[in-house]
Amino acid sequence: MQVNTLIIGAGAAGMMCAAHAGPNTLVIDHAKAAGEKIRISGGGRCNFTNTGCTPTQFLSQNPHFAKSALKRYTQWDFISLVTEHGIPYHEKTLGQLFCDTSAKDIIAMLRAEMDRAGAQLMLQTAIRDITKTDTGFAATLTRDGRDTAITARNLVVACGGKSIPKMGATGFAYQIAAQFDLPVIPTRAGLVPLTFSDDRFKPLAGTALPARVTADDTSFDEALLFTHRGLSGPAVLQASSYWHEGQEIAVNLIPATDLLLHLQTARREAGRKRLTSILSQHLPARLVDFLADDLSLQGNIADQSDTRLRAICDALSHWPLLPSGSEGYRTAEVTLGGVDTDALSSKTMEAKAVPGLYFIGECVDVTGWLGGYNFQWAWSSGWAAGQAIAAA
């Protein structure tokens, strides 16, 4: 079998690339269906991009790398594609766009774009023995127990990172990078719940509230959720990408509330009420009960001095916590780290030292915030590589 372009991975980036890479393109994947991570994303509705997407919402050893692709294929370009295919969508909080009906609409759209471009798809197909040749690359494909030799002028690695292994995720992209002597930034789980070995928050499991969570001097104001094993919710998932093992995080339980003013007013107008009762008007009652001993939340509000009330507010607005770890790749939405961007062209995603070899999507050391940013990186990087291949 001979193709112009062989793409490993029928996920968001791989299918996007196939739609733009020109004739004689083949996409392979070991899964039974294309776009499995798309299908389960956003609770089955796929948060496919974000209206506020800019390069500042991405983590990378080189924060400038993503700028070119994101500027040349923007969220508005993808929104236009979604609209062109008649897919209904809506905006949720913070610029996040979701399908009205199903994430399967996005998969069907990408498959239609691939069909329009003449790209082929082979599922339940494994690849091995990848080698560089004078004219490109050679490899062996295995499908239904049969081996097929294949040659390709271009090889695009779009098989993602290590997150959610039950969906078939592996570190295969990094193995290919290592084979061709491309450096790989050490990987770790991102957008992931944080855990505490003592299960201290078990009594609070299911309790949620708006909070500000800070890790490595980066803060996020969104919902925080207590779990049996630790902390989750959007604010924690966001902060987790900036957290490193052994570091404390800081939690502000009252980020948008002038709690001191409320407490002083309550002391003046309802002095006989219990301090915990007043606090429970602004925080979940289970959380107030949980903190009562540590913060000495005893007595009536009338008995509390300004100094005491300030101390309580300070404790609630800066609660230092030391996670023991995270839930890991099992539940992580993304993989931080990956193929070193210094080894790739920011315009084309091509390996500088290996002509015809491209890395796109999650396997590259570019990781977005929660909220549609990682899909936008898949669309933008896939488009950039596809355009470069088609123009070659």
Side-chain angles (χ1 to χ4, degrees), residues 309-352:
L309 293 180
R310 283 194 185 92
I312 292 169
C313 292
D314 287 346
L316 294 173
S317 61
H318 188 85
W319 186 16
L321 294 168
L322 180 61
S324 56
S326 78
E327 293 287 3
Y329 293 117
R330 181 178 64 84
T331 59
E333 298 203 15
V334 292
T335 303
L336 290 152
V339 178
D340 193 333
T341 57
D342 285 350
L344 306 176
S345 161
S346 62
K347 183 178 180 181
T348 66
M349 306 294 135
E350 186 176 21
K352 295 174 182 176

Side-chain angles (χ1 to χ4, degrees), residues 7 64 76 121 222 265 297 337:
I7 300 173
H64 301 291
W76 307 112
L121 174 65
E222 291 192 65
T265 301
L297 304 179

Side-chain angles (χ1 to χ4, degrees), residues 59-62 65 157-161 171-178 181-187 335-345 349-352 357-367 377:
L59 293 82
S60 174
Q61 294 282 323
N62 177 3
F65 180 83
V157 183
C159 47
F172 187 51
Y174 314 129
Q175 296 173 29
I176 298 173
D181 294 324
L182 271 65
V184 175
I185 304 299
T187 61
T335 303
L336 290 152
V339 178
D340 193 333
T341 57
D342 285 350
L344 306 176
S345 161
M349 306 294 135
E350 186 176 21
K352 295 174 182 176
L357 179 63
Y358 298 78
F359 289 84
I360 58 176
E362 188 185 358
C363 68
V364 179
D365 176 34
V366 174
T367 305
W377 171 245

Side-chain angles (χ1 to χ4, degrees), residues 59 188-191 236-244 334 336 367-368:
L59 293 82
R188 57 193 176 88
L191 300 180
V236 172
L237 298 183
Q238 295 277 41
S240 74
S241 292
Y242 293 83
W243 175 79
H244 294 268
V334 292
L336 290 152
T367 305

